């Protein structure tokens, strides 16, 4: 059964000791986790037979509105073990892992006059700030230059293009709203 297979993996890998009597798996290591359940705000993973939850803030270096849009059940993802607690017999009793900590930050090069999609990450009285996956900076989109007159909120997925770069900061204009963030109606 699945449970028996998980116990064997725990015994032979997670709780096993090497030739120098130190545990083979320790905090700070990067290992592979299998995704077993995904919800909007958490992911349940299995690491060498031990199940652990990952909250949305430990999923990615980029902004994520709904985990189900970026992770699927059955995938295998690299994770970093942030915390590992063992009982007196050396068995793992709790484990905290992070996909974000194991993520190598991708670097996408934005180019003027190209069109992209991204999520509204913030806004001010004069501009919306759009974050594109793979880019460590927000794109400033002045409200006056946007092609849509719709009000937008944090989390909305938008299509936009880059007009220019000012002091290394990309500026652009929002063309349209592709998907609204789910909101609760009060």
């Amino acid at each position: 059964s699945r449970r028996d297979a998980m116990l064997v993996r725990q015994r032979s890998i997670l709780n096993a000791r090497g030739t120098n009597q130190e545990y083979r798996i320790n905090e700070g290591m990067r290992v592979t986790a299998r995704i077993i359940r995904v919800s909007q705000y958490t992911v349940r993973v299995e690491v060498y037979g031990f199940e652990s939850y990952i909250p949305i803030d430990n999923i990615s270096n980029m902004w994520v509105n709904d985990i189900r849009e970026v992770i699927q059940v059955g995938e295998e993802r690299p994770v970093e073990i942030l915390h590992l607690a063992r009982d007196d017999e050396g068995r793992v009793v709790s484990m905290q892992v992070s996909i974000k900590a194991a993520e190598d930050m991708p670097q996408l090069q934005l180019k003027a006059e190209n069109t992209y999609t991204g999520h509204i990450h913030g806004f001010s009285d004069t501009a919306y700030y759009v974050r594109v996956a793979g880019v460590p900076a927000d794109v400033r989109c002045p409200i006056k230059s946007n092609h849509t007159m719709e009000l937008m909120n944090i989390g909305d997925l938008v299509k936009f293009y880059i007009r220019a770069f000012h002091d290394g900061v990309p500026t652009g204009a929002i063309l349209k709203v592709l998907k609204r963030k789910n909101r609760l109606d009060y």
Side-chain angles (χ1 to χ4, degrees), residues 73-141:
V73 172
E75 287 183 34
E76 290 189 352
R77 293 282 183 111
V79 295
E80 184 170 317
I81 300 173
L82 302 178
H83 175 74
L84 191 67
R86 298 180 185 274
D87 64 11
D88 293 338
E89 296 175 12
R91 293 185 302 247
V92 172
V93 292
S94 74
M95 179 189 307
Q96 182 183 4
V97 296
S98 171
I99 294 173
K100 177 180 174 178
E103 187 176 86
D104 292 325
M105 179 70 94
Q107 294 296 315
L108 175 69
Q109 294 289 68
L110 296 177
K111 296 179 182 171
E113 300 182 19
N114 280 2
T115 302
Y116 301 92
T117 59
H119 289 91
I120 302 289
H121 187 259
F123 57 89
S124 66
D125 292 338
T126 59
Y128 288 103
Y129 298 93
V130 181
R131 182 160 292 172
V132 181
V135 179
D138 294 335
V139 178
R140 185 176 184 277
C141 297

Side-chain angles (χ1 to χ4, degrees), residues 47-83:
V47 179
Y48 299 124
F50 192 87
E51 292 185 7
S52 180
Y53 280 99
I54 303 174
I56 194 167
D57 58 338
N58 277 326
I59 294 299
S60 177
N61 287 305
M62 295 296 135
W63 186 82
V64 175
N65 178 43
D66 185 343
I67 297 173
R68 296 172 292 196
E69 294 175 1
V70 294
I71 296 178
Q72 304 300 315
V73 172
E75 287 183 34
E76 290 189 352
R77 293 282 183 111
V79 295
E80 184 170 317
I81 300 173
L82 302 178
H83 175 74

Side-chain angles (χ1 to χ4, degrees), residues 5-81:
M6 288 176 64
L7 290 172
V8 168
R9 291 186 72 185
Q10 284 181 22
R11 204 171 32 253
S12 64
I13 301 171
L14 190 61
N15 299 326
R17 295 178 188 250
T19 55
N20 58 0
Q21 293 302 309
E22 290 186 24
Y23 292 105
R24 296 165 118 188
I25 306 298
N26 296 296
E27 285 183 18
M29 293 181 77
R30 287 187 180 187
V31 296
T32 301
R34 188 171 55 87
I35 309 298
I36 56 176
R37 184 172 294 140
V38 180
S39 71
Q40 184 175 0
Y41 301 111
T42 61
V43 172
R44 190 171 187 153
V45 298
E46 184 250 320
V47 179
Y48 299 124
F50 192 87
E51 292 185 7
S52 180
Y53 280 99
I54 303 174
I56 194 167
D57 58 338
N58 277 326
I59 294 299
S60 177
N61 287 305
M62 295 296 135
W63 186 82
V64 175
N65 178 43
D66 185 343
I67 297 173
R68 296 172 292 196
E69 294 175 1
V70 294
I71 296 178
Q72 304 300 315
V73 172
E75 287 183 34
E76 290 189 352
R77 293 282 183 111
V79 295
E80 184 170 317
I81 300 173

